[in-house]
Amino acid sequence: MSITIENMTKSFGSTAVLRGIDLTVESGELVALLGPSGSGKTTLLKIVAGLEWPNSGGLNVNGQDWLGLAAQDRRIGFVFQHYALFPHMTVRDNIAFGLTVRPRAERPGKSVIAAKVEELLHFLQIAHLGDRYPAQLSGGQRQRVALGRALAIQPTVLLLDEPFGALDAAVRRDLRAWLRRVHEETGSTTIFVTHDQEEAFELADRVVVMGEGRIEQIGNADQIHDHPASPFVARFMGATIELPVVLSAGRAEAPGLDAGRLPRRALPDGPATLFLRPADITPVADPSGRWQVSRCTSNGAILRLELTDGAQTIPVDLPRRALEAKGLERGARVILRPETAAIFPGPRPSQAASAATELPRKEKAQ
Amino acid sequence: MTATAIKPKRVLPGFSLSLGTTLLYVALVILIPVIALILKGAQIGPAQFWAIVTSPRTLSALRVTVTAAAIATVFNAFYGLLMAWVLTRYDFPGKRILDALMDVPFALPTAVAGISLTALYSANGWFGAPLASAGIQLVYTLAGVTIAMAFTSIPFVVRAIQPVLEDLDPALEQAAMTLGASPWQIFRRVVLPAIFPAWLAGSTVAFARSLGEFGAVVFIAGNLPFKTEIAALLAYIRLEEYDYQGAAAIALVLLAFALVLLILSNWLQFRAARHLESKG
């Protein structure tokens, strides 16, 4: 079941939530919608489910126009963030719900439904929980029941809204591998929403990064990590340090910066901004260096430095045993040697606009 | 070796004072009057008690009361559910006013309610006149008694359902929708089970309240013995006649009704809600 979304927009009152989304999901694909809260990812998922309606745009599934179909008729499996299990029904009745509400003519017989539920209970490894009520289950168990309920109707498309958001880290890792297996065994086309990068990259075939109602980038972990398509993606992927530079013949230049390890870029000369991760910078001791170590802490393995040039303070992480770490203490002068970085033309956005993405450490240091 | 017991400190001071005051208040205002009534009734003796309660006039009054209260409650159960639904599910101009109006029967002195209802439904009132020309008379009939009871008890149903309906997770209904359930199936199988305990509780309290309603009913009922005389009024009449035992016996029957209803309602709610407690 391939899903095609074309030029979709949606606003709540005067707030635009989706500003023109184009996306194609291939049959059998597992796609993650990744983005911070407010990026429109859940709204997009709910539109595909038929729980929200766009202001404009198209939604086609296998050539069929889904905007003319009610949620009831789309046959999707939707797993809600907080599971939304029916509290007064047992696990068995929850899973059977979608089959028991079918019109009488299409409804399978009681024994067929019971057998189907039993099969799903085994498949989801919750066979011993069939007679419990949702209130008697742990978060991970509820998640499995919610997925079982969605799978019972043999959905054309499986949609999951922050499927692991409410679970603790260990259960989350377990369920991730398990969901991947479920996806492969059922062969369903699956879209899930998350704000957790690790989850998105580990689980999905393709990751769609969303920000402020637009698709910023589509790709796999390496592509998005190494070649962010926009400043937004760079910041979201952890490149929170933004240095103003000047591009000259494709190379970034700034006082106190040794950009020798960065490849040349086919970008016009002029002002640009370098986006860096704290771990991708090597500070090189230089008595006349522009940057000075203003703070130095260690967790044993990693040395965390704060470097300042008087105007800007940036965090830098490096292995404590690295050669370059020798002699780096408070007051030492260094220059920056980025190992990898993203460059976007144009001056660095104003402080106010980028304040939200900067580290709290910085404010303390100033 | 001496061990000193450590007395845990309570966070909020004045626990014993506030609990003591509460208990005293409950005793004075609720418990002692009820006990006094039971003691008074106990003095009568079973034979005489039975004679009072089964006298034709008492039986008739009880029948009128229970019948009218039952009809009023059935009406309120459905109408109250609809009201609560409208107030929680839709946004429309004047919603807050409508919401506030729901409390009028709570706040209005019941006698005032009774007088205005009588004025409205009497043969020359706004509703009464057209009804009278159609040959229907409501004042001084069982229907009149029912209207008065329904008026004073409707907020119990609405206010019991409303918060539960407001707290109902919309994702439950959406989940049912994605699973292919029709609107009626969603209501019947998802919404109704969730609000059922509250609905039941509200309706039971409304019924109990209707059984004891006095002020609103006496004006519209006309109080014809064997026709529209309610039990609470009969107890009052007995009291006026210095027949304390007669009054106490009738009051005891009403009390027993109310108690049985409360216990039944609590039990049914407990049964319906036993799976709903979340472990968090």
Side-chain angles (χ1 to χ4, degrees), chain A residues 11 15 89 103-104 164 167 184 209 254 261 266 280 293 308 345 353-354:
Chain A
S11 45
T15 319
M89 294 182 203
R104 208 169 287 274
F164 312 118
L167 301 171
E184 272 158 18
V209 183
R261 298 217 169 159
D280 290 343
V293 179
T308 179
S354 63

Side-chain angles (χ1 to χ4, degrees), chain B residues 51 53 93 124 144 180 203 232 245 265-266:
Chain B
V53 170
N124 47 10
S203 302
Q245 295 188 335
S265 145
N266 274 319

Side-chain angles (χ1 to χ4, degrees), chain A residues 150-218:
Chain A
L151 289 175
I153 59 169
Q154 285 172 311
T156 52
V157 176
L158 191 57
L159 306 169
L160 303 101
D161 184 10
E162 298 270 4
F164 312 118
L167 301 171
D168 55 55
V171 181
R172 201 183 274 221
R173 268 192 301 277
D174 262 11
L175 276 179
R176 234 183 263 165
W178 172 83
L179 179 65
R180 178 83 224 182
R181 193 173 64 79
V182 169
H183 168 76
E184 272 158 18
E185 288 184 22
T186 56
S188 54
T189 307
T190 306
I191 304 178
F192 76 98
V193 156
T194 181
H195 62 264
D196 182 335
Q197 298 170 25
E198 200 190 318
E199 197 166 285
F201 291 129
E202 194 182 310
L203 201 49
D205 298 322
R206 277 196 307 160
V207 172
V208 177
V209 183
M210 291 185 65
E212 288 174 356
R214 286 196 182 85
I215 292 180
E216 297 278 345
Q217 190 168 4
I218 303 177

Side-chain angles (χ1 to χ4, degrees), chain A residues 46 49 51 71-72 76 78 80 84-89 97-98 100-102 133 135-137 142 149-150 153, chain B residues 169 171-183 185-186 189-190 193-194 272 275-280:
Chain A
K46 290 204 161 165
L51 299 173
Q72 277 97 339
I76 39 135
F78 198 101
F80 289 82
L85 296 176
F86 305 126
H88 56 281
M89 294 182 203
F97 186 87
T100 57
V101 294
R102 294 237 177 113
Y133 285 88
Q136 300 166 318
L137 302 178
R142 286 180 206 182
R149 186 178 65 178
I153 59 169
Chain B
D169 184 359
L172 287 180
E173 286 161 70
Q174 292 177 344
M177 211 189 277
T178 62
L179 291 165
S182 67
Q185 283 172 323
I186 294 173
R189 298 193 50 190
V190 177
H275 304 304
L276 304 182
E277 310 90 52
S278 169
K279 288 194 298 186

Side-chain angles (χ1 to χ4, degrees), chain B residues 81-92 95 98 165:
Chain B
L81 178 62
L82 183 71
M83 273 312 291
W85 184 267
V86 167
L87 283 175
T88 48
R89 287 310 167 103
Y90 306 110
D91 276 317
F92 49 91
K95 177 173 161 171
L98 189 64
L165 214 47

